[in-house]
Amino acid sequence: MADALQVLMTRRSVREFLGTQLSDDEVKTIVDAGLHAATAMNRQSWHFTVVQDRRLLDAISGAVGAVMVDSGIPSLIERARTTGFSCFHHAPTVIFVSSDGSHYSLADCANASQNMCLAATALGLGSCYIGSFVQAFDHPSGKHLLAQFGLPENYKPVFSIALGHAAKAAFTEKEREWKVSYIR
Ligand SMILES: Cc1cc2nc3c(=O)[nH]c(=O)nc-3n(C[C@H](O)[C@H](O)[C@H](O)COP(=O)(O)O)c2cc1C
């Protein structure tokens, strides 16, 4: 298990995965990390859905592609039509984080998502936070897919985490100093 600060500093979005599936223990550790995130008033206003069904992931990605094509934005249309397009970068496991829509729920869901990305890094796995799928479930080609999640009433997916074994190292140094001010 890697040192906590090293994990924080080295997590990077991975967008190329090997086909190897995560073990059940790895999935459990990652989900547990999400469940240990801070939540406003300890409401735990989320629901996690672990999807390892390739056909369902491809169908959701197909609906994302349809949303991109309907947008009329040339760069999105081109991307959606790229051979092998997958909004989940073909990750073998995707964990969807759904919100109950309450006031602080987006923060709760984001905290859990980040915890899961960090847990993946600690386990030597790759992860990528994905938000681009959300509109797919409102699109005619994707509405029926959400029914398969069997979510509690009023819950909607807001983020997802693509997970797998990284096909190549994603680490890059980043200069972020200018985002911080100190008043002393
Ligand atoms: C809320 C949120 C949504 C994101 N959605 C996507 C996405 O749909 N697809 C993707 O490839 N990356 C997505 N990312 C990853 C960001 O692009 C990435 O975190 C950013 O470029 C910084 O790179 P790093 O994660 O390697 O530090 C998302 C990140 C966040 C926090």
Side-chain angles (χ1 to χ4, degrees):
M1 188 73 75
D3 168 78
L5 283 178
Q6 191 200 348
V7 168
L8 290 171
M9 305 301 182
T10 57
R11 180 218 54 81
R12 288 295 181 277
S13 295
V14 169
R15 297 187 176 89
E16 271 184 64
F17 297 96
L18 302 174
T20 336
Q21 187 53 276
L22 273 63
S23 70
D24 289 349
D25 280 350
E26 286 168 333
V27 171
K28 187 181 178 313
T29 301
I30 291 167
V31 167
D32 275 353
L35 292 171
H36 279 80
T39 60
M41 291 168 280
N42 196 21
R43 277 213 178 118
Q44 300 166 41
S45 64
W46 54 44
H47 187 91
F48 304 160
T49 308
V50 180
V51 180
Q52 296 180 318
D53 179 335
R54 170 60 39 214
R55 276 183 304 179
L56 178 57
L57 293 175
D58 286 347
I60 296 168
S61 190
V64 170
V67 171
M68 289 162 77
V69 169
D70 284 0
S71 73
I73 299 168
S75 59
L76 290 185
I77 296 171
E78 193 187 337
R79 227 187 116 220
R81 291 192 171 143
T82 309
T83 312
F85 166 77
S86 162
C87 72
F88 303 115
H89 309 295
H90 302 286
T93 295
V94 180
I95 302 180
F96 291 83
V97 179
S98 298
S99 156
D100 72 358
S102 58
H103 185 66
Y104 286 115
S105 186
L106 268 189
D108 294 347
C109 291
N111 290 348
S113 299
Q114 178 73 353
N115 263 21
M116 290 195 271
C117 289
L118 293 170
T121 305
L123 292 171
L125 297 165
S127 67
C128 189
Y129 211 124
I130 306 283
S132 58
F133 70 91
V134 169
Q135 284 170 293
F137 292 128
D138 294 324
H139 191 270
S141 64
K143 258 186 182 164
H144 65 289
L145 300 171
L146 189 55
Q148 295 186 42
F149 280 46
L151 288 171
E153 210 178 337
N154 299 325
Y155 279 71
K156 273 190 86 172
V158 287
F159 306 120
S160 69
I161 308 300
L163 294 158
H165 295 264
K168 62 176 188 192
F171 183 76
T172 48
E173 284 294 348
K174 290 191 178 181
E175 184 53 69
R176 296 177 173 186
E177 197 62 27
W178 62 279
K179 287 280 187 188
V180 184
S181 302
Y182 297 90
I183 302 175
R184 286 174 169 142

